[in-house]
Amino acid sequence: MSHAHKPLDEQVIVITGASSGIGLSTARMAARAGARVVLASRNAEALAAIQEEIEAAGGEATHVVADVGRREDVQAIADRAVQRFGGFDTWVNDAGISIYGRLEEVSDEDHDRLFQTNFWGVVYGSLVAAPHLRRRGGAIINLGSIASDLAIPLQGMYSASKHAIRGFTDALRAELEADRAPVSVTLIKPAAIDTPFPQHARNYLDREPKLPPPVYHPDEVAHAILHAAIYPQREIIVGGGGRAMTGLKKLAPGTFDRLGGVMAGQQLRAEPPRDPNGALHRPAQGGHVRGDHPGMVRHTSTYTRAKLHPLTTGAVMAGVGLAAAALMKRRA
């Protein structure tokens, strides 16, 4: 699709994984823009508090306690959106989890649970949303990762799930386009984002995990998601650092593979694990957008903003060029 969808203040937006991190940032940003939001996660207490916060600020919201790894729970999210708001215009599949550990050491049970949440959660959300959006028009937005294009050592099954999400998303997009359905399908591929992601992950390591640099603010991902809700795009990488890594992987895959030891070390703090079980099999503590990354966090990505707003960026660069030319002429 090439045309724009409704403006945000006319949309109903469903967001899974809405109780923390990128999902929570997106929900707050959407509500401030006037969208009505349907919040979903496993954490009932956090969802109720977030709904109350949005409504206290004058917004409209509802919430559903759901495990996206269960199709019946995902259907209940759609049913609530129809019951409360008459339907939905954008469906954001954000819920996800990771495991830190060597592939050979992680249990089959934990690998299965990760795939049930990360991959099947996206599949169920997309397939529940698609029939409704075929009639109404709108957007399906799936959260992949730069790990959709490359493998991250010590997060092997997480990387595999994000590769699978990309394959599914591409196939769904092609089928909807073949039917000329009024539905856009976007894959968002963030780099490392300062959310509680490391603390929510299942951890098999003997040290507390962290995010590898460069790390970006969650609001930058939320901005990209809501941009795609209005202006359809095939894929959006969030973070110029992530774009550089995927470029290196494509151009020199052998060299990238040999950097595995460096990447592994960048994911470890000096301290022992805080909560090795994480939130893989139980709801996480919600209500927090940010994590506690110990290093620098970039609040915006010049690369991503340029990709989202190419005409504006081009005009700015042209203006810079004209100003520089005028300055050089005066000095001549």
Side-chain angles (χ1 to χ4, degrees):
M1 291 183 65
S2 59
H3 64 272
H5 296 309
K6 296 177 183 178
L8 290 178
D9 61 3
E10 296 178 15
Q11 288 204 32
V12 176
I13 301 179
V14 175
I15 306 167
T16 70
S19 60
S20 66
I22 292 168
L24 177 53
S25 176
T26 303
R28 286 172 171 166
M29 194 177 291
R32 287 196 299 269
R36 291 166 289 174
V37 293
V38 181
L39 314 165
S41 83
R42 294 176 294 170
N43 191 321
E45 183 179 356
L47 290 176
I50 296 161
Q51 178 179 337
E52 182 178 357
E53 170 199 321
I54 289 172
E55 291 175 338
E60 292 185 74
T62 188
H63 74 270
V64 184
V65 179
D67 181 343
V68 297
R70 297 166 49 89
R71 182 160 185 156
E72 57 268 35
D73 283 17
V74 177
Q75 183 62 55
I77 301 170
D79 293 344
R80 176 67 62 83
V82 172
Q83 176 189 31
R84 177 68 175 83
F85 297 123
F88 52 88
D89 304 285
T90 294
W91 186 291
V92 182
N93 288 306
D94 170 69
I97 193 75
S98 191
I99 298 172
Y100 284 83
R102 295 177 60 85
L103 287 166
E104 296 171 288
E105 298 173 358
V106 177
S107 72
D108 291 346
E109 179 187 13
D110 284 352
H111 276 157
D112 287 345
R113 177 66 247 194
L114 180 146
F115 242 83
Q116 200 65 37
T117 299
N118 289 13
F119 177 68
W120 287 105
V122 167
V123 171
Y124 295 150
S126 299
L127 297 183
V128 165
H132 181 85
L133 295 176
R134 280 179 179 272
R135 300 187 299 269
R136 183 181 178 115
I140 295 172
I141 301 173
N142 293 337
L143 266 291
S145 165
I146 60 168
S148 297
D149 299 329
L150 52 84
I152 302 175
L154 302 184
Q155 293 190 71
M157 199 55 69
Y158 172 82
S159 301
S161 72
K162 294 301 183 176
H163 276 63
I165 287 169
R166 178 173 186 171
F168 168 78
T169 301
D170 286 350
L172 177 65
R173 183 190 303 110
E175 291 180 6
L176 290 169
E177 288 185 354
D179 293 343
R180 298 187 180 277
V183 186
S184 64
V185 181
T186 298
L187 182 65
I188 306 290
K189 300 191 296 186
I193 307 298
D194 183 29
T195 70
F197 175 93
Q199 288 71 51
H200 291 175
R202 173 76 168 94
N203 182 16
Y204 279 76
L205 307 175
D206 61 0
R207 291 161 61 183
E208 178 70 9
K210 69 180 182 70
L211 299 162
V215 178
Y216 298 85
H217 194 287
D219 286 355
E220 194 69 355
V221 189
H223 176 81
I225 291 170
L226 296 181
H227 182 90
I230 306 172
Y231 305 105
Q233 294 194 32
R234 179 186 179 86
E235 295 185 354
I236 302 172
I237 294 177
V238 180
R243 178 64 184 89
M245 291 177 67
T246 59
L248 175 61
K249 171 63 166 59
K250 184 175 182 179
L251 291 173
T255 299
F256 185 86
D257 289 345
R258 287 190 289 274
L259 294 175
V262 174
M263 292 181 66
Q266 290 179 332
Q267 297 178 82
L268 299 172
R269 298 189 190 221
E271 64 190 270
R274 302 174 189 171
D275 180 13
N277 290 325
L280 185 64
H281 296 282
R282 59 178 172 80
Q285 180 182 6
H288 300 287
V289 167
R290 299 283 300 273
D292 65 347
H293 180 66
M296 175 185 176
V297 175
R298 301 169 188 260
H299 282 259
T300 61
S301 165
T302 302
Y303 165 81
T304 302
R305 295 298 176 106
K307 296 294 288 185
L308 295 181
H309 308 285
L311 294 179
T312 301
T313 302
V316 171
M317 294 306 295
V320 171
L322 289 172
L327 180 60
M328 293 299 291
K329 185 176 181 180
R330 284 200 301 270
R331 288 181 174 179

